[in-house]
Amino acid sequence: MTLGPTLSITTSDHADLQRHLFPGDGLEAAAILICGRAGAKHERLCVHRVIDVPYNDCPTRTPVQLVWPGEYLETAIDAADKIGGSIILIHSHPGGLFDFSHIDDASDASAIPALRHGSADEAIKHGSAIMVPGGAIKARLYNAQGSFEPVKRIYSIGNDIKAINEPVTTNPLPFSSQMTGALGQLTACVVGTSGTGSIVIENLCRRGIGKIILIDFDVMKHKNLNRILNSTIADAETERYKTAMLKEAIATYRTDIEIISIEAPIESEEAIIAASGGDVIFSCVDTMEARHYCELMSRAFVAPLIDVGVTIPTRQSASQDVRIADVCGRIDYVHPDGPSLTDRGVITPEGLYAEYLSRVDPGALAQQQKEGYLKGFAEEAPSVLTLNMIGAALAVEEWLARVFPYRHDANAEHNRLFFSLAGREFEYDLAACQGRSEPDALRGRGLFYPLLGLVHAVSNERAAA
């Protein structure tokens, strides 16, 4: 399935860009998007930096024409070369024309070859775009022969996930066949395919997701059979990879879906490259380190992240019997413009170090893995399917509510959910919704080496080269 190139920009960058391109004088204005490249075929562009071109530096600015200053093209080439990225020249159409004019075509005919020949890698595609007063963007990418293809899907990523590639966007009715059709144009990446992960996958595939990326290095065991959907005794006896088993199961009820399965840890080069192709990343993992990688990928690829965690804390009674203290879970929605999992305390330096020590001490790691869901009580095969189902369903709905709005109040108030089945409580943490993340060197960097800015996040072959 070919879904075509996409462009993702944070909501704050989009708003800042719109303000610059429409200063109120009725004349065209210009900016340059430096974009990281992501996806296995570099089909996803993610805005790393916006360079505003000062109004007075443009040799010509009229209501229908703009001439690019050469020195800013050179600045753009230098910035893009630093991340092996693409350049998109964007200008405004104050009159509202949502198309490229013959003047735009002539401008591209001279500017785009200059970008290509000036870049360190002439094979990288660069492009142009226009924005109309409402903020909608139309973009195109050029190949070395001078032909272009449209960027059909452009998203603003923030508390809401908005398609901004049309002047007027009518959202499909949530939970309808229209929504199913729209999901067919999207790609989801699920990291961790066990208890919650397998249920997230089932939800997404039954809902109609067009492409799904499954990442997990683990194999099926008998202890997994009571909580991984679609698993069988044969899978456990042959210790099949969980991803391979789920890929085969999905194919029994979907023939119109592309499934990518990666049998490798999330920190591997193969997994990071695959994950970079997702329009959304679901973190269904049980370690802080894996969550850390998912968080870094969300920033590097300008992709929303849904992190889900469930647990059953235990306590000892006065008679030393083990009792259930709670049956609870947490859903975090993270986007590059807002507070991260680290900001919210889900990831801490102390926790990462403790996990490192657990890996060094196999005995401690084994105990930690046995406890799993039941904190404070070792249990190899806890019966937690219903808890996993609730957590997984809430995670998927959290994403859908951003793409296909249906809430009675703002999505900005729902970035973190705690739920307790023991207390029958659902509580949103408003403090987790506050604050704006400042752009950093990683945001929108894409698949530039070292991946995620981490020297060790490479394959053994590349490390040995």
Side-chain angles (χ1 to χ4, degrees), residues 67-83:
V67 175
W68 289 89
E71 62 267 29
Y72 282 90
L73 299 185
E74 295 175 5
T75 299
I77 291 171
D78 290 341
D81 281 347
K82 288 180 179 179
I83 61 166

Side-chain angles (χ1 to χ4, degrees), residues 14 70 165 185-186 227 250 269 279 326 428:
H14 179 251
N165 49 276
Q185 300 300 309
L186 299 176
R227 58 183 179 273
I250 295 166
E269 179 183 43
D279 294 308
D326 202 350
Y428 285 95

Side-chain angles (χ1 to χ4, degrees), residues 196-269:
T196 54
S198 69
I199 304 168
V200 165
I201 292 163
E202 185 82 353
N203 266 277
L204 292 169
C205 294
R206 300 278 182 180
R207 291 283 181 91
I209 198 75
K211 179 178 178 180
I212 193 161
I213 303 161
L214 314 178
I215 299 176
D216 200 321
F217 66 92
D218 207 358
V219 297
M220 278 295 304
K221 299 288 182 64
H222 283 279
K223 66 181 181 180
N224 303 138
L225 291 173
N226 68 347
R227 58 183 179 273
I228 297 183
L229 298 191
N230 295 306
S231 60
T232 68
I233 292 174
D235 295 324
E237 288 179 344
T238 57
E239 295 194 347
R240 294 187 68 191
Y241 280 111
K242 295 173 182 177
T243 49
M245 179 272 295
L246 290 166
K247 180 178 181 178
E248 184 177 286
I250 295 166
T252 64
Y253 60 86
R254 286 284 305 277
T255 59
D256 59 341
I257 184 174
E258 182 178 352
I259 310 167
I260 306 296
S261 63
I262 305 296
E263 292 79 34
I266 188 56
E267 66 268 23
S268 69
E269 179 183 43

